């Protein structure tokens, strides 16, 4: 229950969130009002995107940031300057117990993915290969392999499918032994 003061008229409202109708103890006269909104939205390009004058119908690519009822389109590099947002690159690594042959793993992944390329030993400190230029699979020891990738939607999807493929290969190896 609460008291509301609307245009100088006090109304006691008793609402208890039950299925019964709400009870208003005295009537209040509320003046009618209308709100009109301009349906046009305008976004300003700022900093690097504003360096070049755009022609009518030309498109611009950037981030749309809404701040205090204004819209701004900015480049990714300018995001930290005009907002409290920042961008980071996340490198992910997972180590998986794998006791199968590393060559078998590479062969199976070549059957699934279009691009599986061997890496030179100097670059990877041991046997390794890259899947679709996003994910690196390294041979760590006789019982472990590791996967390395930069986090983004595509490489996360590729890494998920490689991890599932490795687990399925492990299931096949253990079922035949």
């Amino acid at each position: 229950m609460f008291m509301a003061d609307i245009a100088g008229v006090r109304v006691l409202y008793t609402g208890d969130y039950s299925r019964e109708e709400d009870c208003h103890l005295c009537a209040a006269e509320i003046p009618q009002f209308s709100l009109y909104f301009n349906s046009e939205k305008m976004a300003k390009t700022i900093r690097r995107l504003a360096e070049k004058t755009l022609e009518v119908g030309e498109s611009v690519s950037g981030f749309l940031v809404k701040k205090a009822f204004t819209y701004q389109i900015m480049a990714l590099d300018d995001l930290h300057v005009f907002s409290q947002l920042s961008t980071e690159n996340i490198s992910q690594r997972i180590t998986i117990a794998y006791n199968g042959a590393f060559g078998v793993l590479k062969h199976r992944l070549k059957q699934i993915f279009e691009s599986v390329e061997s890496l030179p030993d100097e670059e990877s400190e041991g046997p390794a290969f890259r899947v679709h230029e996003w994910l690196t699979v390294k041979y760590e020891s006789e019982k472990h392999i590791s996967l390395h990738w930069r986090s983004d939607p595509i490489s996360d999807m590729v890494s998920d499918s490689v991890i599932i493929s490795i687990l399925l290969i492990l299931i096949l190896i253990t079922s035949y032994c």
Side-chain angles (χ1 to χ4, degrees), residues 125-166:
E125 301 164 2
F129 58 87
R130 187 164 286 146
V131 179
H132 280 296
E133 298 180 12
W134 291 299
L135 175 78
T136 304
V137 180
K138 291 184 180 180
Y139 180 78
E140 298 290 337
S141 70
E142 291 180 5
K143 297 188 177 186
H144 296 93
I145 58 171
S146 64
L147 281 65
H148 306 261
W149 70 96
R150 291 228 167 178
S151 186
D152 65 54
I154 295 173
S155 58
D156 288 345
M157 182 177 57
V158 170
S159 67
D160 289 343
S161 60
V162 168
I163 291 168
I164 290 173
S165 301
I166 292 170

Side-chain angles (χ1 to χ4, degrees), residues 51-125:
E51 290 174 355
K52 178 185 169 194
T53 305
L54 297 174
E55 300 296 325
V56 175
E58 190 176 351
S59 64
V60 64
S61 179
F63 285 93
L64 179 66
V65 178
K66 179 182 176 187
K67 185 176 178 183
F69 302 105
T70 61
Y71 295 93
Q72 298 171 335
I73 301 174
M74 61 185 72
L76 176 63
D77 298 335
D78 299 330
L79 191 60
H80 70 281
V81 175
F82 292 98
S83 70
Q84 295 176 353
L85 301 173
S86 63
T87 58
E88 294 295 327
N89 290 328
I90 300 173
S91 296
Q92 295 193 35
R93 177 182 181 203
I94 186 170
T95 302
I96 301 173
Y98 180 78
N99 56 0
F102 194 64
V104 171
L105 175 62
K106 182 178 177 182
H107 175 70
R108 292 291 184 198
L109 291 177
K110 275 186 176 181
Q111 292 175 333
I112 298 170
F113 298 100
E114 293 175 357
S115 175
V116 176
E117 301 166 357
S118 295
L119 294 177
D121 287 343
E122 306 88 40
E123 183 180 326
S124 60
E125 301 164 2

Side-chain angles (χ1 to χ4, degrees), residues 17-60:
Y17 303 103
S18 65
R19 292 182 183 243
E20 298 176 17
E21 278 191 40
D22 295 334
C23 176
H24 300 275
L25 298 178
C26 68
E29 294 182 16
I30 302 172
Q32 290 186 352
F33 63 94
S34 300
L35 296 175
Y36 297 98
F37 295 99
N38 185 359
S39 62
E40 280 187 23
K41 302 286 184 201
M42 184 186 327
K44 295 180 181 178
T45 57
I46 55 176
R47 197 127 168 164
R48 288 192 188 162
L49 294 180
E51 290 174 355
K52 178 185 169 194
T53 305
L54 297 174
E55 300 296 325
V56 175
E58 190 176 351
S59 64
V60 64

